[in-house]
């Protein structure tokens, strides 16, 4: 399990042979290292915060979003997703903008509001941030999710890119 904390982009985490408990422990260690215990977790100088939902622990919600996928749209039920999970350590790498080539970085508006996208074209991977401003006029981001693109998802991201806003939010 500790070997996963040594993995670097573009390597994938090795979680296939782990039981559910070991897998969660390994993934949580990577998540805590990169996000929970990262006091300077920010994108372009703006802090990144997890989603806040009443009665739930924000970092648990974020961890859940980064390692699961919606399997029932009607109930919003989420189940473990191997593709998202084995790329969990890619979030920090892309947030820190360590990759310079074949990255589309843009903001777009859709039915859910304005979002900022970090799209790795080579690896078919996207991170979605939601820009926010608090009562003190401080700007920050919510890290909504990050995932490996499958099927028509690449086309959806490319279409968002075509409709991108002039400035990065």
């Amino acid at each position: 399990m500790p070997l996963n904390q040594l993995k670097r982009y573009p390597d994938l985490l090795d979680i296939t042979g782990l039981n559910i408990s070991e897998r969660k422990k390994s993934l949580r260690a990577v998540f805590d290292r990169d996000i929970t215990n990262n006091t300077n977790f920010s994108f372009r100088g703006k802090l990144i915060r997890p989603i806040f939902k009443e009665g739930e622990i924000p970092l648990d919600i974020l961890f859940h979003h980064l390692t699961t996928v919606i399997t029932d749209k009607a109930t919003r039920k989420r189940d473990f997703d191997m593709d998202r999970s084995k790329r969990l350590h890619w979030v920090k790498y892309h947030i820190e903008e360590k990759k310079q080539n074949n990255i589309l970085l843009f903001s777009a508006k859709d039915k859910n509001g304005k979002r900022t996208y970090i799209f790795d074209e080579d690896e078919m991977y996207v991170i979605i941030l939601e820009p926010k401003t608090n009562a003190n006029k401080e700007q920050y981001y919510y890290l909504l999710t990050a995932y490996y693109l499958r099927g028509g998802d690449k086309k959806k991201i490319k279409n968002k890119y075509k409709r991108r806003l002039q400035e990065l939010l």
Side-chain angles (χ1 to χ4, degrees), residues 21 95 98 107 126 137 166:
S21 175
I95 292 292
K98 290 185 178 177
S107 295
V126 67
K137 306 262 190 247
Q166 292 294 323

Side-chain angles (χ1 to χ4, degrees), residues 43-44 94 97 102-107 116-120 127 129 141 161 164-165 167-168:
F43 177 68
R44 297 207 164 179
H94 286 86
E97 295 185 271
N102 297 325
I103 292 286
L104 295 181
L105 182 57
F106 64 96
S107 295
T116 296
Y117 298 83
I118 303 169
F119 174 46
D120 182 336
I127 297 171
L129 303 167
Y141 289 107
Y161 182 74
R164 69 189 178 275
L165 302 173
E167 64 180 331
L168 188 67

Side-chain angles (χ1 to χ4, degrees), residues 143-161:
L143 172 54
L144 295 177
T145 195
Y147 56 93
Y148 175 71
L149 300 173
R150 299 179 189 133
D153 289 341
K154 181 179 180 181
K155 187 174 182 178
K156 289 178 187 176
I157 295 297
K158 290 284 194 171
N159 285 337
K160 287 181 188 293
Y161 182 74

Side-chain angles (χ1 to χ4, degrees), residues 69-107:
V69 65
I70 293 175
T71 54
D72 184 341
K73 290 185 180 188
T75 64
R76 308 285 296 166
K77 182 181 184 289
R78 300 182 73 91
D79 287 320
F80 174 76
D81 183 53
M82 183 65 75
D83 287 329
R84 287 179 184 227
S85 296
K86 62 187 177 182
R87 291 168 175 81
L88 182 61
H89 62 302
W90 290 9
V91 173
K92 181 180 178 205
Y93 181 86
H94 286 86
I95 292 292
E96 292 177 347
E97 295 185 271
K98 290 185 178 177
K99 184 172 183 196
Q100 302 297 312
N101 299 325
N102 297 325
I103 292 286
L104 295 181
L105 182 57
F106 64 96
S107 295

Side-chain angles (χ1 to χ4, degrees), residues 17-135:
L18 303 177
N19 66 39
I20 293 171
S21 175
E22 291 170 330
R23 181 178 67 208
K24 187 171 183 176
K25 184 177 179 182
S26 181
L27 290 170
R28 191 62 193 226
V30 170
F31 177 82
D32 288 343
R33 178 200 64 202
D34 292 351
I35 297 173
T36 305
N37 301 328
N38 185 350
T39 57
N40 192 33
F41 191 52
S42 59
F43 177 68
R44 297 207 164 179
K46 296 177 187 175
L47 284 178
I48 298 175
R49 299 180 179 166
I51 299 169
F52 178 77
K53 288 187 180 178
E54 194 65 39
E56 296 186 44
I57 300 169
L59 288 169
D60 289 344
I61 295 168
L62 180 56
F63 177 73
H64 189 66
H65 273 266
L66 294 175
T67 59
T68 63
V69 65
I70 293 175
T71 54
D72 184 341
K73 290 185 180 188
T75 64
R76 308 285 296 166
K77 182 181 184 289
R78 300 182 73 91
D79 287 320
F80 174 76
D81 183 53
M82 183 65 75
D83 287 329
R84 287 179 184 227
S85 296
K86 62 187 177 182
R87 291 168 175 81
L88 182 61
H89 62 302
W90 290 9
V91 173
K92 181 180 178 205
Y93 181 86
H94 286 86
I95 292 292
E96 292 177 347
E97 295 185 271
K98 290 185 178 177
K99 184 172 183 196
Q100 302 297 312
N101 299 325
N102 297 325
I103 292 286
L104 295 181
L105 182 57
F106 64 96
S107 295
K109 184 177 181 181
D110 61 22
K111 65 181 180 180
N112 297 313
K114 294 177 182 176
R115 306 277 169 83
T116 296
Y117 298 83
I118 303 169
F119 174 46
D120 182 336
E121 293 184 284
D122 295 328
E123 296 295 337
M124 300 297 293
Y125 184 73
V126 67
I127 297 171
I128 304 173
L129 303 167
E130 184 175 341
K132 295 286 188 183
T133 305
N134 67 16

